[in-house]
Amino acid sequence: MKKSLYSLMLSDEVVRAVDRMAYDRGMSRSGLINRILAQQFSMTTPDMWYESVLDCVAQITETRQRLQLQPQPSASMLSLKSFLDYKYNPTIRYSVELFAEGEGYSGELRVSSRTQNEGLLAMLEDFFTHWAALESGRHPPDTLLVQVENGRFYRRFSLPQKDGQESTDVIGKRIGQYIHQLDLALSAYFHAARIGGGMVYLEKYFDDATK
């Protein structure tokens, strides 16, 4: 939705009440007023759509013991963390961002670790490179946007058009399940790598998880 600047005459009491509610919800005054008006006219703003999808992602991942929800930087972003059964139990961070694009929406998943350990970064690079190769075999050419760089993984999601029939619950569930499967595969890979055959195990896990 395009946004423009408008001038409104409001009573001071109303503005104070709006500001209190906006503060409690972590929103701006304009954002809250825009939402209230959209709800009044049965409209869905991009921020409302983002929150609905990400709330479902959070609900899905909250049931997974390995994934922990982190404070959210904005309505269009969700952050999670997990850990690896490796030296010093390094943290893995999952960040999902949703954004409007043309007449529809897109999303991106970013997976990273703050480690400076070269051995760990090399293993992460190998895992993500192999995972991306396995995924590419399941998608038509040029439809899978994946990037692996310095032990980090970036995955774009093509989401339904704004007037599509797929519900935000379904979209959120798919993203949440994808993160869960990726995290389990990453954990299993590091465990298998310690006893040998990490890539072979990953291929079998990917085949079983995507059947």
Side-chain angles (χ1 to χ4, degrees):
M1 289 183 177
K2 181 182 177 182
K3 292 185 177 181
S4 300
L5 180 63
Y6 297 94
S7 178
L8 298 174
M9 293 290 291
L10 302 173
S11 70
D12 293 341
E13 291 79 5
V14 169
V15 171
R16 283 194 289 269
V18 167
D19 286 346
R20 285 195 297 270
M21 183 180 290
Y23 177 81
D24 291 340
R25 298 187 181 187
M27 300 174 66
S28 67
R29 177 192 295 169
S30 296
L32 179 58
I33 292 174
N34 189 67
R35 171 170 296 191
I36 292 172
L37 292 174
Q39 291 173 336
Q40 178 66 30
F41 293 103
S42 300
M43 300 174 67
T44 301
T45 67
D47 282 349
M48 293 165 65
W49 192 90
Y50 301 149
E51 288 186 7
S52 182
V53 172
L54 295 179
D55 281 348
C56 186
V57 175
Q59 290 173 15
I60 294 295
T61 53
E62 278 178 345
T63 63
R64 321 302 184 187
Q65 293 183 348
R66 288 181 45 83
L67 293 165
Q68 299 178 10
L69 193 64
Q70 300 297 288
Q72 306 313 312
S74 73
S76 61
M77 295 184 67
L78 180 142
S79 298
L80 301 154
K81 74 174 183 179
S82 182
F83 66 92
L84 292 176
D85 183 13
Y86 191 72
K87 298 177 183 178
Y88 312 115
N89 293 325
T91 297
I92 298 296
R93 300 184 183 279
Y94 298 88
S95 177
V96 179
E97 183 174 8
L98 305 178
F99 39 87
E101 191 171 65
E103 293 301 316
Y105 293 105
S106 295
E108 183 177 66
L109 169 66
R110 296 183 287 273
V111 189
S112 63
S113 174
R114 291 183 178 178
T115 183
Q116 300 298 316
N117 184 300
E118 293 185 359
L120 176 58
L121 286 173
M123 291 180 69
L124 288 170
E125 183 94 8
D126 287 344
F127 170 83
F128 290 134
T129 299
H130 204 66
W131 178 268
L134 290 171
E135 270 207 281
S136 67
R138 302 275 181 169
H139 297 270
D142 303 324
T143 63
L144 183 65
L145 300 177
V146 174
Q147 181 181 356
V148 179
E149 183 180 51
N150 298 325
R152 296 179 175 86
F153 179 77
Y154 305 86
R155 168 72 149 81
R156 286 290 298 272
F157 295 104
S158 296
L159 303 177
Q161 297 296 304
K162 293 177 183 177
D163 58 352
Q165 298 300 311
E166 198 164 30
S167 71
T168 53
D169 286 349
V170 171
I171 296 169
K173 182 177 180 180
R174 288 181 178 177
I175 295 175
Q177 288 178 336
Y178 179 86
I179 294 172
H180 174 59
Q181 293 294 342
L182 177 58
D183 185 63
L184 286 181
L186 182 59
S187 176
Y189 166 74
F190 269 81
H191 174 74
R194 292 192 306 174
I195 59 178
M199 289 302 182
V200 174
Y201 186 90
L202 174 60
E203 290 179 359
K204 183 180 184 305
Y205 179 90
F206 186 89
D207 287 339
D208 292 343
T210 54
K211 283 181 180 177

